[in-house]
Amino acid sequence: MALDEMARSDSARAWRLTLILVGALTLFRVLALFLTPLELYPDEAQYWLWSRHLDFGYFSKPPMIAWLIWATTHIGGDAEAWLRISSPLLNAGTALAISRIALRLYGDQRGGTWVGLAAAATFSLMPGIQLSSVLITTDTPLLFFLALTVWACVALPAASPRARVWVAAGMGAALGLAFLSKYAAIYALASLGAHLFLSRQARRAWTPAMAVAFFAVLFLVFAPNMLWNIEHHFSTLEHTAANANWKSGKLFNPLELVQFVGSQFGVFGPVPFAVLAVGGLLLAARRRLAPADVTLLCFALPPLVTVAAQAFVSRANANWAGASYVAGSVLVAAWLLRWEARRWLVGGLALQAVLAAAFLTWVINPRTAEAMGMANSFKRARGWDQTVQAIIARAKEEKAGQGLTAVAVDDRFLFNVAAYYGRDYFGTSKAPPLRMWVHEIAARNQAEAEAPMTEPLGRRALIASLEGTYRGKIQQDFAATSDLQIVSVRLDRKRSRRTDLFIAQGFAPVPRDPVTGLPPDTPWKAGK
């Protein structure tokens, strides 16, 4: 057999194996969604609530996640699995796009036939992707559209002059959709700028017509969300900026930086993140970076460096650097194959495959997680339905008596899950309206902004205080309150969730402090 025919045969075999791997993982994850007894996380319930009223933006996030939930729940209904099902499907699409990026950039290097499979496996078995495949989060569509953006970027130099304008327009559309998923897409703009600055080949590939096509399509796709933000006083952008939290606590936090870097070994995977960090430093120091390496480092480094700096001056969540996963997966696979470190590649992937199997086992049967000491990881996805049903039962009891003007909660998590697990009750003619007690002088979340407690609705309200945290402050806002009923829901052998229920009458909120925005202090403490 000729060498070219052998190469084509190996490439076809590698692509088939990639499809089998990604397809099998996706099938297992979809099955886990329909088999798991785990309930929605409160943020997922919030996204579902948004999807009931489609818009171009929401209080804390762009609209893509609500659009996805709207689409999948219109197909299968409002069960938890149908809320989440777009996540494993989008992650599969991202993995396949990553495979094509890897082949485009490294298909000609030694071992390049298998680089697409290795990159797709590195991404698909990443612990962070395992988690995001059984939840509905904004990171999942973000990574999918970023992968399409990077794919278009690396395809530009090989495209014909006429096709390049269309590729640039497609890249603008993909990046615009990434912005509609999560504002972390801003890193991609910085990455493209860095790539143009560092790569003469990239600068030669672009023409003024391509730049116009790219930015025009990007603006057209993203403009509706910007207009929504203007109409809503930039609430989403302000909430995103507020997450930085630079004004609270010490300005420099080395421990936060160490914790963030350490968390990346857990999110990206121990071997892949070590290869990405150490390999990038060594290759840069020795000036042995290939042009393809430079391209992908331009996409991988800005999120990691920026979020690490954020962790140092304030705090940062582990997933905030998720925009680096796409390029990072390709780099890790390409470098390990280039260095002929196949044992490290196979060993790292085998370790993550074991973790993936264990995680899916925990999701399907949470008792196994409890037996292995991992129950704490799932506590926010358990016990909500039981809590909400207890609130509804108390509301029905009061309805049969003097009646209620509202059911009010003091925590956005509880509001979101009450809206979801009480969807067959709240909003019906038999139910009092579900409302949110506003803690500060201004709304801090969408529930407080769109469903605040008001004086007419507070004539006689059932109050549900999660863990009793704000019970004392709530009581200050009412003329009279009833005796306390405590609802305790067991989450696992060690943990339970408490909700305080009581009737409050005569809502007349005390003035909030104009400086802090908070109600006055009270000697009452939670649990007393």
Side-chain angles (χ1 to χ4, degrees):
M1 183 182 293
L3 290 178
D4 288 346
E5 291 181 2
M6 290 179 62
R8 285 195 294 270
S9 176
D10 286 345
S11 296
R13 181 168 168 238
W15 179 240
R16 285 195 300 272
L17 290 175
T18 303
L19 292 175
I20 292 171
L21 169 69
V22 173
L25 283 172
T26 304
L27 177 61
F28 291 145
R29 289 164 176 168
V30 170
L31 288 174
L33 291 183
F34 285 92
L35 294 175
T36 182
L38 294 175
E39 299 171 1
L40 294 185
Y41 281 80
D43 283 340
E44 294 180 287
Q46 175 178 253
Y47 303 148
W48 171 84
L49 195 56
W50 293 350
S51 74
R52 303 305 90 186
H53 306 282
L54 292 184
D55 208 337
F56 285 109
Y58 299 92
F59 188 91
S60 59
K61 294 288 188 294
M64 182 61 69
I65 193 164
W67 295 354
L68 290 171
I69 293 173
W70 178 89
T72 57
T73 54
H74 272 68
I75 295 172
D78 290 323
E80 290 93 337
W82 285 101
L83 265 76
R84 295 165 166 165
I85 197 169
S86 63
S87 288
L89 301 179
L90 285 174
N91 279 336
T94 305
L96 295 179
I98 283 174
S99 174
R100 308 316 292 178
I101 294 168
L103 287 170
R104 170 73 67 174
L105 290 176
Y106 297 102
D108 293 334
Q109 77 168 23
R110 180 178 296 181
T113 301
W114 304 99
V115 70
L117 172 60
T122 300
F123 175 82
S124 296
L125 294 173
M126 198 179 295
I129 300 305
Q130 301 301 325
L131 178 61
S132 73
S133 292
V134 296
L135 303 175
I136 182 71
T137 72
T138 54
D139 286 324
T140 306
L142 169 71
L143 296 185
F144 175 69
F145 292 117
L146 284 182
L148 297 183
T149 302
V150 177
W151 190 6
C153 179
V154 302
L156 270 174
S160 65
R162 180 177 296 180
R164 287 180 185 178
V165 174
W166 293 104
V167 175
M171 182 162 58
L175 186 54
L177 292 170
F179 270 104
L180 293 180
S181 302
K182 191 173 183 178
Y183 294 147
I186 190 69
Y187 294 125
L189 280 179
S191 299
L192 289 170
H195 186 224
L196 288 171
F197 177 78
L198 294 173
S199 173
R200 181 179 301 176
Q201 183 185 18
R203 293 194 296 272
R204 288 176 176 175
W206 281 83
T207 64
M210 292 167 57
V212 169
F214 171 76
F215 283 107
V217 175
L218 170 60
F219 176 79
L220 287 174
V221 173
F222 187 47
N225 179 250
M226 290 303 299
L227 292 174
W228 183 94
N229 267 288
I230 292 172
E231 292 175 357
H232 293 80
H233 310 290
F234 295 96
S235 63
T236 311
L237 293 173
E238 287 182 3
H239 181 273
T240 302
N243 275 338
N245 201 28
W246 285 15
K247 295 183 180 180
S248 66
K250 297 185 298 182
L251 184 58
F252 301 109
N253 301 278
L255 182 59
E256 288 286 342
L257 174 60
V258 172
Q259 290 176 343
F260 168 74
V261 174
S263 71
Q264 296 311 296
F265 287 92
V267 173
F268 199 83
V271 173
F273 187 69
V275 171
L276 182 64
V278 177
L281 289 173
L282 289 178
L283 289 175
R286 297 175 182 176
R287 297 184 179 182
R288 296 178 62 182
L289 290 170
D293 299 343
V294 173
T295 299
L296 292 178
L297 284 171
C298 285
F299 283 96
L301 288 182
L304 283 170
V305 173
T306 303
V307 180
Q310 162 69 25
F312 182 63
V313 300
S314 179
R315 66 176 185 87
N317 292 340
N319 69 310
W320 286 3
S324 65
Y325 296 173
V326 171
S329 299
V330 180
L331 282 170
V332 168
W335 287 348
L336 288 175
L337 288 173
R338 183 189 304 170
W339 301 334
E340 298 185 351
R342 288 176 173 81
R343 291 184 179 179
W344 282 99
L345 176 61
V346 173
L349 293 177
L351 173 61
Q352 294 185 190
V354 171
L355 295 175
F359 180 75
L360 287 179
T361 302
W362 298 340
V363 169
I364 294 171
N365 185 1
R367 290 184 179 179
T368 59
E370 189 172 343
M372 298 176 68
M374 298 299 295
N376 188 55
S377 303
F378 298 101
K379 66 181 180 181
R380 285 190 178 179
R382 306 183 74 175
W384 293 116
D385 191 11
Q386 188 177 345
T387 299
V388 173
Q389 298 313 315
I391 295 172
I392 292 174
R394 177 66 184 273
K396 288 180 177 179
E397 290 177 6
E398 296 297 330
K399 185 73 173 179
Q402 301 179 51
L404 296 173
T405 54
V407 172
V409 301
D410 66 348
D411 185 275
R412 71 178 182 90
F413 281 6
L414 188 54
F415 181 92
N416 296 333
V417 296
Y420 178 76
Y421 287 106
R423 61 189 181 275
D424 294 330
Y425 176 71
F426 292 114
T428 67
S429 59
K430 299 180 180 179
L434 179 65
R435 287 295 181 265
M436 182 79 182
W437 174 72
V438 181
H439 179 212
E440 299 183 11
I441 200 168
R444 298 178 302 163
N445 53 65
Q446 189 146 343
E448 292 184 356
E450 295 192 353
M453 188 66 175
T454 62
E455 292 187 22
L457 292 174
R459 294 194 305 275
R460 189 172 189 277
L462 171 61
I463 307 298
S465 177
L466 187 62
E467 303 294 345
T469 303
Y470 295 117
R471 180 161 62 87
K473 293 185 181 296
I474 294 174
Q475 289 173 332
Q476 294 180 100
D477 282 346
F478 286 88
T481 57
S482 72
D483 293 336
L484 184 66
Q485 174 188 347
I486 296 177
V487 174
S488 183
V489 175
R490 178 66 60 183
L491 305 180
D492 53 55
R493 285 197 297 263
K494 297 181 179 180
R495 300 170 184 84
S496 61
R497 181 181 296 117
R498 164 181 166 168
T499 305
D500 292 356
L501 302 180
F502 58 94
I503 301 298
Q505 301 182 68
F507 182 62
V510 298
R512 270 43 175 171
D513 187 296
V515 177
T516 65
L518 301 173
D521 290 333
T522 174
W524 179 88
K525 294 182 180 179
K528 295 291 184 69

